Amino acid sequence: MKQYLFLATASLFTLVSGCKKSDPVPETDLTVGLTGVYPLTSLQSGSVVQTLPDGAYSMKFTTSRLDNTHLSAVLTVTETPGSFDLGTYTFGLTPNPNADSLVNVSVQGTSVGTMSTKTMDVAVQWGGNTRRVKAAR
């Protein structure tokens, strides 16, 4: 009887230790190479496209990492003699299945464009209007 109890206990211990949870797989860091300054090359409002910089007027996005799938993006306008921030956005990032070099960008769950380590093409809202901005670095 003691041998049976010992065998049952050993089997139970082996079974429990074999069901150990595996460590979670870390999420891919989609922000790698995407932080920094993206000077805007154009701004589109409705059907009007404005090339930037335009004399004493320029714009840029400055991005910083929040976590593996989110960036903080601050849109800044520079006008002689100063500058001001138009808005701060949280960009959600997902892999782009059509191009390894691009990631899809969303704001509050709505797709707004794409970006890579060198370019950005997004539609953002400020002043009650949606504007498409393109940037390159």
Side-chain angles (χ1 to χ4, degrees), residues 34 38 61 63 71 91-107 110-124 132-136:
L34 301 181
Y38 287 80
F61 262 113
T63 58
L71 290 173
F91 285 172
L93 309 175
T94 56
N96 186 310
N98 300 320
D100 288 339
S101 62
L102 291 176
V103 294
N104 296 323
V105 177
S106 63
V107 174
T110 301
S111 178
V112 296
T114 60
M115 68 186 294
S116 72
T117 58
K118 302 207 182 283
T119 63
M120 181 186 298
D121 183 352
V122 294
V124 292
R132 183 176 179 185
V133 295
K134 292 186 178 186

Side-chain angles (χ1 to χ4, degrees), residues 125-137:
Q125 289 216 350
W126 77 83
N129 296 307
T130 300
R131 294 177 174 95
R132 183 176 179 185
V133 295
K134 292 186 178 186
R137 57 181 185 167

Side-chain angles (χ1 to χ4, degrees), residues 37-117:
V37 177
Y38 287 80
L40 270 60
T41 57
S42 69
L43 164 67
Q44 180 177 346
S45 185
S47 62
V48 177
V49 177
Q50 179 180 0
T51 303
L52 298 172
D54 181 12
Y57 179 77
S58 66
M59 298 175 76
K60 67 181 177 182
F61 262 113
T62 304
T63 58
S64 58
R65 182 181 186 277
L66 294 175
D67 60 32
N68 285 354
T69 59
H70 293 87
L71 290 173
S72 172
V74 178
L75 183 58
T76 304
V77 174
T78 302
E79 293 181 297
T80 302
S83 66
F84 59 94
D85 293 342
L86 277 177
T88 300
Y89 308 88
T90 299
F91 285 172
L93 309 175
T94 56
N96 186 310
N98 300 320
D100 288 339
S101 62
L102 291 176
V103 294
N104 296 323
V105 177
S106 63
V107 174
Q108 295 180 341
T110 301
S111 178
V112 296
T114 60
M115 68 186 294
S116 72
T117 58

